Amino acid sequence: MKSLTAKEEEIMNYFWQKGPLFVKELLDFYDEPKPHFNTLSTIVRGLEEKGYLSHKAYGKTYQYFAAVSEEEFRRGTLKQVVRKYFNSSYLGVVSSLIEEEDISLNELKELIEKVERGTEK
């Protein structure tokens, strides 16, 4: 899965929250000064090229919709982060969270219990 720029991710969030949209409808979600229609159209076409969006044609107009769910995107992004920054080690991720005290002992115990319940099924 190809990574997204901040602007691409912002636009994908609209599709995940609102469902299928025409580019002109995207403009309604922006405050003034609104981005130019052509700018949004270019970003949307780029998202389609990356496989994140698809479209349905209505004459010469396209309605775009998410081809990748938000959950699929999250999982793919997490895998990329773990691969890039933790040498594909989820243990390294957890160790880092513990070292930085971003996860408490109780949260770690809950995580272990959740994993154990998941492997029992």
Side-chain angles (χ1 to χ4, degrees):
M1 187 177 299
K2 293 185 178 182
S3 61
L4 298 180
T5 66
K7 184 55 80 176
E8 288 173 330
E9 192 171 337
E10 174 185 297
I11 290 172
M12 281 306 301
N13 278 316
Y14 290 127
F15 285 98
W16 288 323
Q17 293 168 9
K18 309 291 183 183
L21 297 165
F22 294 95
V23 173
K24 66 181 179 178
E25 292 176 310
L26 279 173
L27 285 170
D28 295 336
F29 303 126
Y30 288 91
D31 295 325
E32 294 294 339
K34 293 181 183 287
H36 194 276
F37 177 88
N38 290 343
T39 302
L40 285 180
S41 182
T42 298
I43 295 170
V44 166
R45 285 193 314 273
L47 286 165
E48 186 173 31
E49 287 174 18
K50 288 182 174 183
Y52 285 93
L53 293 176
S54 191
H55 72 268
K56 182 175 180 182
Y58 292 92
K60 294 182 180 181
T61 305
Y62 293 160
Q63 184 182 44
Y64 293 89
F65 56 91
V68 173
S69 73
E70 189 173 11
E71 182 61 31
E72 289 171 311
F73 173 71
R74 281 188 190 142
R75 274 183 279 168
T77 301
L78 178 61
K79 285 179 183 177
Q80 287 175 1
V81 168
V82 172
R83 189 177 321 116
K84 183 176 181 178
Y85 297 106
F86 297 96
N87 199 26
S88 297
S89 169
Y90 285 91
L91 181 58
V93 174
V94 174
S95 295
S96 178
L97 289 170
I98 292 168
E99 288 170 16
E100 299 297 323
E101 297 180 25
D102 290 340
I103 186 169
S104 71
L105 185 56
N106 285 338
E107 290 171 319
L108 185 57
K109 286 178 184 177
E110 287 177 31
L111 179 60
I112 291 168
E113 289 171 6
K114 186 174 182 180
V115 170
E116 287 174 341
R117 282 193 307 268
T119 57
E120 291 173 356
K121 292 180 181 179

